[in-house]
Amino acid sequence: MPHPNPNLRRAPVQQRSADRLARILDACAGLLDEIGYEQLSTRDVALRAEVPIGSVYRFFSNKRALVDALALRNLDLYAERITDRLASIPADDWRGAIDAVLDEYLAMKRTVPGFALVDFGPPAPAEETSDDANRRLAGRLGELLAGHLGRDPGPELLRAILVSVEAADALLQLAFRTDPSGDPAIVAETRTLVRAYLAQILD
């Protein structure tokens, strides 16, 4: 079976190799917070991770592949955190589920290294728009929410989630441009907007 991260040239087999990959991604995340995407280099990542530059290229062909791998790791972590939250939310409480989705995103935006700049996709636009960050995120959220709410993950629901993701992304970008911790008023308006829109198909 192919490795779930398509950005990897080679999947780690031994634990030592997996630990090295994790150090490389951690170094990348920390540097993104410090110097940004444009100034980031694979050499800087290797120095921060304390690995030979060849170790970085063993896993990644270039900087974009490295950052995209970090974005996929972020998405996996986000899905895990949402799954944990949904376990304590009744299946008929879709508003509570949506709150959990927003709350976990905000928490990661504020606390996870590199997430403020690279959440679920690199800052540079993807060449393949069918696999852009928001579609990737909406697909994962569609699976999680449909499963939790006992809904059919059909085209209508998936389209509504994609629209919600696009709208929330734009508004939350505004919230964090206004306030480094996320402007509370804009965050509240985002929550109201998403709830009102999804009520059309989830109520």
Side-chain angles (χ1 to χ4, degrees):
M1 292 178 62
H3 192 273
N5 191 328
N7 300 284
L8 290 180
R9 279 178 153 175
R10 183 181 304 175
V13 177
Q14 298 180 339
Q15 186 60 46
R16 183 176 63 180
S17 183
D19 291 343
R20 180 172 291 184
L21 174 59
R23 287 209 314 277
I24 290 170
L25 291 175
D26 289 344
C28 177
L31 285 166
L32 283 167
D33 282 341
E34 294 171 22
I35 62 176
Y37 179 76
E38 293 302 324
Q39 298 302 316
L40 182 73
S41 73
T42 52
R43 184 169 297 280
D44 288 338
V45 171
L47 287 171
R48 175 66 63 89
E50 299 182 339
V51 300
I53 185 67
S55 293
V56 176
Y57 286 115
R58 176 172 178 265
F59 292 116
F60 304 106
S61 57
N62 53 39
K63 177 176 76 172
R64 182 182 173 84
L66 169 58
V67 174
D68 203 42
L70 176 65
L72 287 176
R73 187 175 76 165
N74 286 340
L75 182 56
D76 287 340
L77 174 60
Y78 183 52
E80 289 171 11
R81 291 173 64 141
I82 290 173
T83 299
D84 289 343
R85 285 285 301 275
L86 291 179
S88 62
I89 297 173
D92 59 352
D93 182 13
W94 71 262
R95 288 175 177 81
I98 296 304
D99 282 344
V101 167
L102 287 169
D103 290 343
E104 289 305 317
Y105 178 83
L106 293 168
M108 289 182 68
K109 190 85 167 174
R110 293 165 180 153
T111 63
V112 174
F115 194 85
L117 185 59
V118 174
D119 46 21
F120 308 117
E127 295 178 5
E128 178 52 64
T129 56
S130 65
D131 190 37
D132 68 29
N134 282 344
R135 286 186 179 275
R136 186 188 293 174
L137 172 60
R140 185 71 72 92
L141 288 177
E143 295 172 7
L144 290 172
L145 291 172
H148 179 72
L149 300 174
R151 300 271 181 158
D152 175 28
E156 183 183 21
L157 177 61
L158 295 179
R159 183 172 57 251
I161 291 174
L162 176 60
V163 170
S164 299
V165 165
E166 291 284 357
D169 180 42
L171 288 170
L172 292 177
Q173 284 187 42
L174 173 61
F176 280 88
R177 282 201 307 272
T178 307
D179 181 335
S181 298
D183 183 289
I186 296 176
V187 169
E189 294 288 350
T190 303
R191 198 180 301 271
T192 298
L193 183 148
V194 171
R195 280 180 163 203
Y197 173 70
L198 289 176
Q200 300 175 88
I201 62 168
L202 293 180
D203 267 346

